[in-house]
Amino acid sequence: MKAVAAGVPALDPFFDENSGLGKDAQVTSRPVRGSLQQGDTPGLYGGSKQPTVCEVDQLKQFLTDPRNDQKAQAWARALAISTDRIPDYLDRLTPVLLRHDTLVKNHDYKKGKAVPYDSLLQAGIAILIDAQGRPAVKCSCGNPLRPFAGDTNRISVKFEDGNQEWKGYDRSSVVAVRPAPRPLEKIVLVDVDDTDRGISRPVGTSGAKDATFDTREKRAVPNLAGASFGQARRSLTDKGLAAGYDSEGLPPDDARVTATDPPAGTELGFGQYVMLSVAGDSGSSDGSTTAPPPTTTAPPQSSTSEPSTPGSGSGSGSPPPSSAPPSSGPPPGTSPPPSSGSPSPPPSSSPPSPPPAVITSPPVTTSTSPPPPVTTSAPPETTSSAPPPPQTTSTPATSEPPTGGPASGQPTESATV
């Protein structure tokens, strides 16, 4: 993992760093609340009053010049497009400035080919992003960029070739960008020179059509308890707030939100994080709990949060343990009339009472075994007159009361910047 500092020329760039393709800025990296963020996360990217941080037209001229055909072919292959699509592709990219130290797959140009390598771009570097907020091009050298595909929690950054470790670098506060769920019409940025100023930039424009807004305008945190993680994230994005999480991996979209920090009703400025605690993915076998679920005893939860957000199958099965035992039937399997017999419930009716209550103890109960053999509704076989050995009775002795499934307490569209 190579560090790439703002303003430091690449050793093997696609184009001369002095050609004026783009200019980096001095930006202090912001901490992140979850290393994987979607391309529409409010506050993810920054902008500037000077829209010329990336000269898209000049880059287009270079790549369509027949003298640069070999570079153009390598450049297009790195981005999985054909050379004839380069002009249209560039027209749909938007210039921004990184506000976070950001992981990408970078490319050098060596011996006529694009050579990929993982790199960490310092906050302040000017890049072009696509319509789903993914880094696509490093402006100053024209190098193509692709999303980082590795584990963000297992990186080792090398600071070399003039890229000294920059002030404020924090290995635990880097971000990798995942695509927004759907293409965006505008990219919502924060002015890196004046963070009280927001910039709404139409996709594919360089600043001429920017609209501005006040990032200090307060937005109330919505009530997200019971919503799925995906639904909660979209609700926050629509309000101009960022979704945060504490787990190592991004929670699944159908993980159920149990609480927010700060709580619903709190007013925050644009791009501020709302931490989401989730109970987990109902479909995952071993609910990978992410944030600490405050109260995850499933029985009380089922009556409140499920109706509003069924999630993706989160309401089926395990949460309500009280309903599972009767249907799954813990009967010992050999007692012929367990359910149609006398109204007295069989011992398997699992209300979790500590002792195995001896309910219908008939007069002939003094056998040798400590738990008196409950001779309920004597089965047809036991009509033999041997009173002492009550062995032939249906012995549901300690047939583990099926406590149902154990309650599964399992556990950034306007692109941001």
Side-chain angles (χ1 to χ4, degrees), residues 313-388:
S314 62
S316 62
S318 59
S322 59
S323 61
S327 59
S328 62
T334 55
S335 60
S339 57
S340 60
S342 62
S344 58
S348 61
S349 62
S350 84
S353 52
V358 181
I359 301 174
T360 55
S361 57
V364 191
T365 54
T366 58
S367 179
T368 58
S369 45
V374 185
T375 56
T376 60
S377 62
E381 301 178 352
T382 55
T383 52
S384 65
S385 60

Side-chain angles (χ1 to χ4, degrees), residues 401-415:
T403 58
S408 65
Q410 46 230 51
T412 56
E413 228 156 294
S414 4

Side-chain angles (χ1 to χ4, degrees), residues 255-334:
R256 183 165 45 84
V257 174
T258 58
T260 62
D261 180 20
T266 305
E267 295 191 334
L268 301 174
F270 175 81
Q272 288 190 263
Y273 279 100
V274 177
M275 300 299 292
L276 301 176
S277 297
V278 299
D281 169 15
S282 64
S284 67
S285 55
D286 183 12
S288 53
T289 55
T290 57
T295 53
T296 54
T297 52
Q301 288 271 13
S302 63
S303 63
T304 57
S305 60
E306 284 183 354
S308 60
T309 59
S312 66
S314 62
S316 62
S318 59
S322 59
S323 61
S327 59
S328 62
T334 55

Side-chain angles (χ1 to χ4, degrees), residues 187-198:
I187 308 295
V188 186
L189 315 172
V190 173
D191 191 326
V192 296
D193 299 314
D194 179 7
T195 56
D196 292 340
R197 179 178 181 262

Side-chain angles (χ1 to χ4, degrees), residues 1-4 102-106 117-121 148-152 154-160 169 174:
M1 175 74 62
K2 295 181 181 179
V4 177
T102 303
L103 295 164
V104 296
K105 176 167 286 190
N106 206 339
Y117 65 97
D118 290 331
S119 67
L120 177 67
L121 304 185
F148 175 74
D151 186 344
T152 57
R154 297 182 179 182
I155 60 171
S156 177
V157 181
K158 292 182 179 179
F159 293 89
E160 56 189 11
Y169 167 69
V174 300

Side-chain angles (χ1 to χ4, degrees), residues 7-276:
V8 177
L11 290 181
D12 299 288
F14 266 74
F15 302 101
D16 184 359
E17 297 265 2
N18 298 319
S19 60
L21 284 177
K23 185 178 179 182
D24 298 336
Q26 294 298 317
V27 177
T28 302
S29 178
R30 300 175 63 244
V32 297
R33 307 302 296 273
S35 60
L36 294 175
Q37 293 292 329
Q38 289 190 336
D40 58 350
T41 302
L44 182 63
Y45 295 120
S48 171
K49 294 176 183 177
Q50 302 171 353
T52 56
V53 294
C54 207
E55 294 288 354
V56 181
D57 289 339
Q58 190 174 342
L59 179 60
K60 189 189 304 183
Q61 290 173 8
F62 280 139
L63 289 169
T64 54
D65 188 330
R67 293 172 297 180
N68 295 324
D69 183 64
Q70 188 174 16
K71 281 187 177 181
Q73 290 187 32
W75 191 92
R77 277 194 297 269
L79 292 169
I81 62 173
S82 57
T83 53
D84 61 339
R85 287 189 55 208
I86 288 177
D88 178 63
Y89 180 79
L90 287 171
D91 285 341
R92 292 183 286 111
L93 300 182
T94 309
V96 300
L97 293 165
L98 295 179
R99 296 185 74 213
H100 303 274
D101 295 341
T102 303
L103 295 164
V104 296
K105 176 167 286 190
N106 206 339
H107 296 79
D108 278 337
Y109 182 72
K110 294 180 179 179
K111 297 181 180 179
K113 294 182 180 180
V115 180
Y117 65 97
D118 290 331
S119 67
L120 177 67
L121 304 185
Q122 184 184 7
I125 288 179
I127 65 169
L128 293 172
I129 61 173
D130 67 14
Q132 290 180 283
R134 291 173 293 195
V137 180
K138 185 174 181 290
C139 290
S140 64
C141 58
N143 287 2
L145 306 174
R146 297 300 299 269
F148 175 74
D151 186 344
T152 57
N153 299 293
R154 297 182 179 182
I155 60 171
S156 177
V157 181
K158 292 182 179 179
F159 293 89
E160 56 189 11
D161 300 326
N163 297 284
Q164 288 92 3
E165 183 170 329
W166 48 81
K167 183 179 180 181
Y169 167 69
D170 182 356
R171 181 182 176 281
S172 66
S173 192
V174 300
V175 66
V177 181
R178 295 293 179 261
R182 50 189 176 271
L184 307 172
E185 294 182 358
K186 59 184 179 180
I187 308 295
V188 186
L189 315 172
V190 173
D191 191 326
V192 296
D193 299 314
D194 179 7
T195 56
D196 292 340
R197 179 178 181 262
I199 300 171
S200 180
R201 178 169 296 170
V203 168
T205 65
S206 297
K209 299 181 180 179
D210 285 357
T212 61
F213 62 94
D214 189 346
T215 60
R216 296 168 297 180
E217 182 182 345
K218 298 302 181 183
R219 306 134 200 275
V221 176
N223 184 1
L224 301 173
S228 70
F229 183 81
Q231 291 169 334
R233 182 175 50 202
R234 286 190 293 273
S235 296
L236 291 172
T237 298
D238 290 345
K239 282 187 166 289
L241 300 173
Y245 59 93
D246 282 330
S247 60
E248 287 192 355
L250 184 69
D253 275 352
D254 62 352
R256 183 165 45 84
V257 174
T258 58
T260 62
D261 180 20
T266 305
E267 295 191 334
L268 301 174
F270 175 81
Q272 288 190 263
Y273 279 100
V274 177
M275 300 299 292
L276 301 176

